[in-house]
Amino acid sequence: MNVFLSFHPVLRRNLLILFTAGLLFWSGLAALLPTLPLYIQRTGASDHMVGIVMGTFAAGLIASRGWLSRLADHRGRKVVMLIGMVAVAVAPLGYILTDSIPMLMGIRAVHGISIAAFALAYSALVVDLSPPDHRGEVIGFMSLVNPIGMALGPAIGGYAQAWFGFTPMFLISAGLGTVGLVCTTQVKEIQQPQSTAAQAQHNYFWRLLLSPRIRIPAIVLLLVGLTFGSLSTFIPLFIQDVGAQLNVGLFYTAVALASFSIRLIVGPASDRYGRGIFISISLIFYAVAMLLLWQAHHAATFLLAGVINGAGSGTLVPMIAALMADRSYPNERGRTFGVCMLGFDAGIALAASSGAMGGPGELSGHFWHLCCFIASGIGSLPGICG
């Protein structure tokens, strides 16, 4: 926190507004995590169809990632954040209006644009505002919007649905996004130098994916996307199927609290020891969490898995953001972050489709497969440290 006190008051105010907008974004988005799969299931959809509908979130992510990344570099971060906030405020209203599976898939795809836009532009703007010698610490602190929002959102959504029903829960989610939209309009951004002619080419975005500085981080995010997609799609159904006496929102709260706590440590430490060692540790956390979920039948096991998974996400997310900032120029950060996040998008889509199974035994087997996949991916990590 001392580094923030040394900033100019205008910069501190700007970071505070940006932090508030990010907190509202993630709270509004996460409010639907414990309840949306149940809402889709209530329409008569099978577990397989629930996975397909939830997986179309990644379709919106992937389809919009490229042009949003270029827009962030060419037109500024703020306009892209506004697009993300509009999506997170409007999409919940769409769920209220229909119980048609095809329509829900379309709305879910639009909802996916929210992360593609806001998370990308938010990360790029935080890096723009961060002093290079304190980059890890500032990114670690500003990325706290994710775990705090992921703690508040599911609790708000879970209890709102239990007490009032699905419609008020969707309205609350939309309201959080709307207030966040107002905050985003007050954010000030730094004018970036214009891209060179070579970088402005359309295929520059795709050529980045094959470059050594992007390829391995993208693979790591593919593994993480698999876990995120599985947890957001199937944990509510899995907890319900095994009969564990646990409010699903509390699982996400455990994830978020652990994620919050560890970021306070790893951000400053990465400025001293580097990013690679912490990224390696984060994947070990993820693998252990999936191993626990494979055998989970009681509330305590689910909560422990949530804590370990949260430690993984709280370590990995700021480290990947800092690593991409270290490896990119200011006028290409939008595209660099966007290309790297394609791995995350693909992981969400694969998790939803491959895990769309019928019973608790099959779902627990899905978590075992994820554990093995993540463990095997740790061998590719030397490329992170280069």
Side-chain angles (χ1 to χ4, degrees):
M1 287 296 295
N2 290 336
V3 66
F4 287 88
L5 297 178
S6 66
F7 290 163
H8 190 278
V10 174
L11 176 57
R12 286 204 305 269
R13 179 180 180 276
N14 198 29
L15 288 173
L16 178 60
I17 296 173
L18 184 61
F19 187 93
T20 303
L23 181 60
L24 289 163
F25 172 84
W26 287 107
S27 297
L29 187 70
L32 305 184
L33 282 178
T35 54
L36 187 56
L38 303 178
Y39 177 77
I40 298 169
Q41 189 181 56
R42 195 188 68 165
T43 67
S46 64
D47 286 358
H48 176 77
M49 188 56 65
V50 170
I52 291 175
V53 174
M54 294 295 288
T56 54
F57 188 88
L61 272 168
I62 295 171
S64 61
R65 183 74 76 182
W67 71 269
L68 286 170
S69 299
R70 292 191 298 273
L71 187 65
D73 284 336
H74 297 155
R75 297 297 178 88
R77 325 300 193 198
K78 183 175 178 177
V79 65
V80 179
M81 285 195 294
L82 289 170
I83 292 172
M85 273 297 189
V86 169
V88 89
V90 171
L93 302 179
Y95 297 124
I96 297 174
L97 299 177
T98 184
D99 59 3
S100 163
I101 294 298
M103 290 295 294
L104 288 172
M105 291 175 65
I107 295 166
R108 189 67 179 154
V110 171
H111 211 171
I113 296 174
S114 63
I115 287 187
F118 188 88
L120 163 74
Y122 181 92
S123 298
L125 183 54
V126 167
V127 172
D128 293 342
L129 299 172
S130 303
D133 54 341
H134 292 289
R135 181 172 286 158
E137 183 173 1
V138 174
I139 291 174
F141 180 83
M142 294 297 291
S143 69
L144 290 175
V145 295
N146 180 275
I148 297 175
M150 295 291 283
L152 295 176
I156 292 171
Y159 285 111
Q161 187 276 325
W163 294 341
F164 307 115
F166 284 106
T167 297
M169 181 267 297
F170 286 128
L171 291 174
I172 289 171
S173 176
L176 291 169
T178 301
V179 177
L181 180 62
V182 174
C183 291
T184 305
T185 62
Q186 304 303 308
V187 171
K188 308 295 183 184
E189 62 180 324
I190 295 176
Q191 186 67 35
Q192 296 298 332
Q194 292 298 309
S195 301
T196 65
Q199 291 176 337
Q201 295 176 6
H202 179 80
N203 62 358
Y204 176 78
F205 178 89
W206 301 107
R207 290 205 309 270
L208 280 173
L209 184 59
L210 300 178
S211 66
R213 59 185 172 133
I214 304 296
R215 187 172 58 248
I216 299 301
I219 292 173
V220 171
L221 285 176
L222 169 66
L223 303 177
V224 175
L226 286 167
T227 65
F228 180 83
S230 297
L231 295 178
S232 62
T233 302
F234 297 110
I235 277 294
L237 304 177
F238 187 41
I239 291 176
Q240 177 180 272
D241 286 345
V242 301
Q245 299 300 308
L246 177 67
N247 184 311
V248 181
L250 295 179
F251 174 85
Y252 294 108
T253 299
V255 172
L257 289 176
S259 180
F260 173 91
S261 301
I262 203 164
R263 287 173 199 239
L264 299 175
I265 301 171
V266 298
S270 73
D271 288 328
R272 178 177 300 179
Y273 301 111
R275 325 297 185 192
I277 184 173
F278 295 102
I279 294 175
S280 302
I281 291 171
S282 73
L283 284 192
I284 295 173
F285 282 143
Y286 276 116
V288 172
M290 295 301 105
L291 185 63
L292 285 172
L293 287 173
W294 171 47
Q295 293 294 323
H297 290 89
H298 304 287
T301 309
F302 279 106
L303 291 176
L304 178 60
V307 168
I308 296 174
N309 181 272
S313 65
T315 302
L316 182 80
V317 172
M319 292 303 96
I320 289 289
L323 184 71
M324 288 298 93
D326 296 341
R327 294 183 175 187
S328 61
Y329 298 105
N331 61 357
E332 65 171 5
R333 280 181 186 142
R335 284 160 295 172
T336 300
F337 288 4
V339 171
C340 188
M341 289 299 293
L342 281 175
F344 183 78
D345 303 342
I348 292 176
L350 288 171
S353 59
S354 65
M357 303 176 182
E362 290 174 312
L363 285 175
S364 66
H366 176 59
F367 292 123
W368 164 246
H369 293 150
L370 282 177
C371 172
C372 296
F373 190 28
I374 293 168
S376 67
I378 295 175
S380 68
L381 286 174
I384 286 288
C385 305

